[in-house]
Structures are given as structure tokens and as C-alpha cells.
Amino acid sequence: MSRQEVFKEGSKVILATANNNQPNANIVISLWFIGEKLLVTNVQMTTTITNLQSNKNICVIGWYYRLKWTVEIFDSGEIFQIAQEKNKGFTIKHAILITINEIWDLDKLKIG
């Protein structure tokens, strides 16, 4: 399975964050890529968003891919509007735009 298939719109991915040496993980739905950046939303995350506000580093797991990225968090503006359009029926607290730094193919144990 290619990483495009793994992270396509509607795919479940795991977000892993940490703050003060306390790890946290959450399952979210991938919305899509905007350029080379992955968009997800905060509908009901508490610990994850708190961690990301103080530590912008994130690890995303989808199938056999591990992505190490940094985030930008939006509570208004164009990116937030895109997230709202993609999540009709849900109250969006934040749009989280994740910028790629490294992609690991865990099946092949190498950077992909």
C-alpha cells in the first residue's frame, strides 16, 4: 500500500505527541493533503492539542508508515475554513496542518 493510499481522505491515522516527558496518542481521520502537508482537525482532543501548543513536534502512524512532522494550529482563517468544509456536521476547534520532515517505511525499515 502506498503512502498516498494510507493517508488519503477518510483514512484513520494515529497522532503521537508528548509534553513534559508524558506521551499521548490519538486516532484521527485524515482529511487530505494541502500541497505536501497533511490536514487533520481537533474535534474533541484535549491532551493532544495542549501538547501540540507547547511542543510542535508530532509523529503520525498510518499502516506501515511513520511520519515525523511539525504542526501549525489554526482556529480561524483559510485552513480552518477548509477543515470546517471537510467536517460538516462536527464542531471544529482547530485545524492542524502537519508539515513533513521525515517518512519511514516501517515494512522496509528505511526512509521512504
Side-chain angles (χ1 to χ4, degrees), residues 19-31:
N19 189 25
N20 296 323
N21 295 319
Q22 296 298 311
N24 181 64
N26 219 337
I27 297 172
V28 301
I29 303 297
S30 171
L31 294 183

Side-chain angles (χ1 to χ4, degrees), residues 3 7 33 36-38 57-62 64-71 98-106 109-112:
R3 64 181 178 218
F7 297 102
F33 280 92
E36 292 293 317
K37 298 180 181 187
L38 181 65
N57 297 307
I58 193 168
C59 183
V60 180
I61 302 289
Y64 282 100
Y65 290 98
R66 178 181 67 208
L67 312 170
K68 291 184 180 179
W69 296 6
T70 55
V71 301
I98 307 169
T99 302
I100 187 169
N101 291 333
E102 180 180 284
I103 300 174
W104 271 88
D105 182 328
L106 298 174
L109 298 175
K110 67 178 184 175
I111 294 178

Side-chain angles (χ1 to χ4, degrees), residues 8 13 28 42-43 45 50 53 65-66 68-69 72 76 82-83 87 94-95 99 101 107 110-111:
K8 71 181 178 184
V13 298
V28 301
N42 172 17
V43 174
M45 293 185 269
T50 299
Q53 288 170 331
Y65 290 98
R66 178 181 67 208
K68 291 184 180 179
W69 296 6
E72 297 171 82
S76 63
I82 291 169
N87 277 285
H94 302 94
T99 302
N101 291 333
D107 193 37
K110 67 178 184 175
I111 294 178

Side-chain angles (χ1 to χ4, degrees), residues 39-54:
L39 179 63
V40 298
T41 57
N42 172 17
V43 174
Q44 54 186 346
M45 293 185 269
T46 303
T47 304
T48 299
I49 201 70
T50 299
N51 287 355
L52 290 174
Q53 288 170 331
S54 63

Side-chain angles (χ1 to χ4, degrees), residues 5-18:
E5 292 173 296
V6 169
F7 297 102
K8 71 181 178 184
E9 184 175 344
S11 299
K12 292 178 184 169
V13 298
I14 299 169
L15 303 183
T17 62

